[in-house]
Amino acid sequence: DYLDKAIKLHPNDPKPYFYLGKIFKSQGKLRDSLKFLDKALELDPECTIAWHLKGSILLEIGEYREAMDCLDISLQYNPYDSKNWYQKARLLRLMERFHEALIYYDKTLELNPKMLEALLDKSFILGLMGDYEDAQQCLDNTLRFYKGNPYAWNIKGMIFKAQKDYKNALNCFDNALISDNEFSDAWTNKGVVMKKLGNFKEAEEC
């Protein structure tokens, strides 16, 4: 209600429109959110956070070309915010433009070396590309920052599995499950590895 009042009192102030857009996004009402963000940007075309949020929403609903435009503008106005680089990296990853995505993940981590999502995404892409050594190095860094992180251990195990190093893979999946015993991906991956090792009875329990 106070935002509605703010709009009535100050109809040319972009901030209430931005915050309403943020609220609607948190409620999952993405199209409504976009309407308010467009109004905020109409009033202030250099509102970086509005461009960033709009780009993130467009990415979420699969409108990649429009998301790219928004995130590029957000980066243009604020190239020092790691979140802007990260969203562009995510977009490129979803578009399967992996080499380009890695450039943006590297810039993200240059600005924010401990951003967990960027570390995990980067290591996963490196694994997909077959760059196992760099992927494992990235995961080792992640686990130094976030000891016991189940997602890092799971990706680490997937990379060992891709290399057919099933014993090390199994150890990684076990470590993931020590941190989160309800992590379904780790259970599934552990079951696959147990079958590869010939432990069919134990695989069925995963």
Side-chain angles (χ1 to χ4, degrees), residues 77-96:
Y77 288 131
N78 188 359
Y80 304 106
D81 187 339
S82 60
K83 294 188 292 294
N84 289 334
W85 292 92
Y86 173 68
Q87 287 296 344
K88 180 72 179 286
R90 280 189 66 221
L91 174 59
L92 291 165
R93 175 175 63 83
L94 291 169
M95 296 173 74
E96 299 186 357

Side-chain angles (χ1 to χ4, degrees), residues 15-107:
K15 290 191 288 293
Y17 294 101
F18 168 76
Y19 287 117
L20 280 169
K22 195 172 181 180
I23 289 168
F24 278 114
K25 180 182 184 295
S26 70
Q27 296 173 344
K29 299 175 182 178
L30 302 183
R31 293 292 177 185
D32 290 328
S33 177
L34 288 172
K35 291 176 184 176
F36 285 103
L37 292 173
D38 284 339
K39 183 62 179 179
L41 290 166
E42 178 187 323
L43 294 168
D44 181 5
E46 296 184 14
C47 183
T48 306
I49 53 177
W51 283 116
H52 175 88
L53 187 57
K54 181 179 178 181
S56 301
I57 292 171
L58 290 167
L59 185 157
E60 193 171 331
I61 62 180
E63 296 183 11
Y64 293 158
R65 182 172 295 180
E66 294 83 354
M68 183 81 75
D69 292 339
C70 293
L71 294 173
D72 283 342
I73 294 170
S74 182
L75 273 169
Q76 177 186 333
Y77 288 131
N78 188 359
Y80 304 106
D81 187 339
S82 60
K83 294 188 292 294
N84 289 334
W85 292 92
Y86 173 68
Q87 287 296 344
K88 180 72 179 286
R90 280 189 66 221
L91 174 59
L92 291 165
R93 175 175 63 83
L94 291 169
M95 296 173 74
E96 299 186 357
R97 292 163 59 175
F98 297 134
H99 289 283
E100 292 173 81
L102 285 174
I103 294 170
Y104 283 84
Y105 281 121
D106 284 341
K107 184 63 179 180

Side-chain angles (χ1 to χ4, degrees), residues 116 120 139 142-143 146-158 172-187 189:
L116 176 60
L120 293 174
L139 288 163
T142 307
L143 288 165
Y146 303 96
K147 292 181 180 179
N149 183 272
Y151 299 99
W153 278 116
N154 186 58
I155 297 171
K156 199 170 180 64
M158 290 169 66
C172 291
F173 297 135
D174 281 340
N175 279 323
L177 292 166
I178 288 170
S179 295
D180 181 358
N181 194 48
E182 297 182 0
F183 189 5
S184 59
D185 286 354
W187 279 114
N189 286 325

